[in-house]
Amino acid sequence: MTNNDATYHVPVMLQECLDGLNINPDGVYVDVTFGGGGHSRAIFEKLSSKGKLIVFDQDPDARANAWEAPNFHFVAANFAFLKNHLRVLGIPAVDGILADLGVSSHQFDDAKRGFSIRSNEALDMRMNQAGDFTAAKIVQTYDEEQLAAIFRKYGELDHPFKTAVELVKARNKSKIKTTGELMEALMPVAPKFKDHKFFAQVFQALRIEVNQEMDVLEKFLLQTADVLKPDGRLVVMSYHSLEDRLVKNLMKRGNLDGSIEKDFFGKVLKPFEEVNRKPILPTEEEIQRNTRARSAKLRIAKRVADGK
């Protein structure tokens, strides 16, 4: 196994994720967010030669962190079609699935990707560089209603329509092509002393829309019960409330929308049983060491044998 670039991404709550997976050395595991390979490498080291690790990542940069081994397989795709890819590999069921939903440090630190508010680069924000749908396209083509909708839903801004109106007014004067130009255009509506958080919310909204992150997450979560063996573990780390709400609803209530279905006897029908009733949070020590861990929430559930 080759070593990856340690600066690519520091794995968040590594030991907690390993504990959550409850790894069987001969089992089959999936890391759907390979990135720098930190979590994957630690999982792989716990597997025997009979065990197997399948990893997913749509970012071509991540492939450089992969290694060659008979029981390791890299899937160059996002995890929206988890079930199909496993079927192609001849894997009907797995013992554990890990998803770390955060943007990797590498993607934030690579200024030209356009994810960061700390630089002035092209408005890109694509996780998959093969696509042609960029943040610039949204900023230039969405109307006020569409912009307000994503700022409200994905950025959770206090004044989404006001922000959308300001953006459209600015782009009518001059085309907005870079992250710096976007921030300059929205500066008149940025809350005083809270502008950093405001721009982080705007960038989050655009990034989620560019990469259809919520749609991909919903598709992924709905497939997990189908591919996990009874007692198999689902371990998901989220970084904002929109993601965490979906994960919590699935694990706690069995449906993404939070609705509850019961059988004739009043038993709640759900495919998972929570291992931890409340999310696990990073320690203060970890946050000091890796500030990007500060908003992480880790939820763990076990596949119920007789669940729906």
Side-chain angles (χ1 to χ4, degrees):
M1 191 189 341
T2 58
N3 289 323
N4 74 323
D5 180 354
T7 63
Y8 194 102
H9 184 72
V10 178
V12 175
M13 288 193 271
L14 177 58
Q15 189 57 50
E16 291 86 344
C17 289
L18 295 175
D19 293 344
L21 287 169
N22 192 31
I23 294 172
N24 166 13
D26 296 339
V28 180
Y29 292 86
V30 181
D31 179 353
V32 297
T33 47
F34 179 68
H39 288 107
S40 287
R41 200 164 27 262
I43 295 169
F44 191 74
E45 287 171 356
K46 290 186 172 296
L47 298 179
S48 71
S49 59
K50 293 179 182 176
K52 189 175 288 185
L53 177 63
I54 313 301
V55 302
F56 286 68
D57 207 302
Q58 63 182 328
D59 189 338
D61 290 354
R63 183 147 209 161
N65 299 319
W67 58 90
E68 296 292 332
N71 56 345
F72 173 84
H73 189 87
F74 183 95
V75 179
N78 78 28
F79 46 80
F81 303 103
L82 168 71
K83 202 169 158 181
N84 285 350
H85 285 291
L86 291 179
R87 188 183 298 129
V88 168
L89 293 171
I91 299 172
V94 302
D95 297 274
I97 301 172
L98 170 67
D100 176 354
L101 303 176
V103 179
S104 77
S105 299
H106 169 78
Q107 288 165 330
F108 269 125
D109 293 340
D110 186 355
K112 68 178 184 297
R113 303 291 293 270
F115 288 111
S116 175
I117 63 175
R118 298 194 304 267
S119 57
N120 184 22
E121 296 291 338
L123 273 168
D124 191 320
M125 301 193 190
R126 289 170 299 164
M127 299 285 189
N128 182 353
Q129 298 286 291
D132 60 0
F133 187 58
T134 65
K137 190 164 284 188
I138 295 171
V139 167
Q140 290 302 334
T141 63
Y142 276 28
D143 62 27
E144 290 175 348
E145 295 289 344
Q146 290 173 304
L147 288 167
I150 65 168
F151 290 151
R152 181 187 304 108
K153 186 174 180 182
Y154 299 148
E156 300 183 291
L157 290 182
D158 291 335
H159 304 289
F161 196 75
K162 182 180 174 184
T163 305
V165 168
E166 190 67 26
L167 194 159
V168 171
K169 188 170 76 174
R171 82 183 185 199
N172 287 340
K173 294 177 183 173
S174 176
K175 195 170 183 180
I176 299 171
K177 295 178 289 187
T178 71
T179 53
E181 289 169 357
L182 175 63
M183 293 170 67
E184 185 179 346
L186 296 181
M187 189 60 78
V189 293
K192 199 172 183 181
F193 306 121
K194 293 183 179 177
D195 53 322
H196 188 278
K197 180 183 177 186
F198 167 78
F199 287 123
Q201 289 172 294
V202 169
F203 275 49
Q204 173 180 292
L206 293 171
R207 192 200 76 225
I208 289 175
E209 180 71 0
V210 167
N211 298 291
Q212 296 294 296
E213 292 177 26
M214 302 311 295
D215 182 53
V216 169
L217 178 58
E218 288 185 11
K219 287 177 178 172
F220 160 69
L221 290 173
L222 290 173
Q223 295 170 65
T224 53
D226 293 337
V227 299
L228 275 170
K229 297 176 183 175
D231 292 331
R233 295 293 185 91
L234 176 61
V235 177
V236 184
M237 194 148 42
S238 60
Y239 293 80
H240 57 75
S241 60
L242 298 170
E243 294 171 340
D244 184 58
R245 194 174 303 137
L246 291 177
V247 177
K248 182 178 70 175
N249 284 342
L250 178 69
M251 292 184 176
K252 196 179 286 289
R253 302 183 177 89
N255 288 294
L256 298 181
D257 62 6
S259 61
I260 292 176
E261 296 176 41
K262 295 182 179 180
D263 65 12
F264 179 78
F265 302 101
K267 180 185 175 186
V268 176
L269 297 171
K270 60 178 190 174
F272 292 105
E273 175 185 303
E274 290 172 289
V275 173
N276 55 319
R277 293 180 65 84
K278 292 187 176 181
I280 299 171
L281 306 178
T283 63
E284 285 300 321
E285 187 276 332
E286 178 168 9
I287 294 171
Q288 288 289 324
R289 182 165 37 86
N290 178 15
T291 57
R292 283 171 179 160
R294 64 185 179 277
S295 55
K297 289 184 177 178
L298 177 65
R299 292 188 185 271
I300 304 164
K302 181 172 69 174
R303 180 70 168 100
V304 179
D306 60 350
K308 67 176 182 178

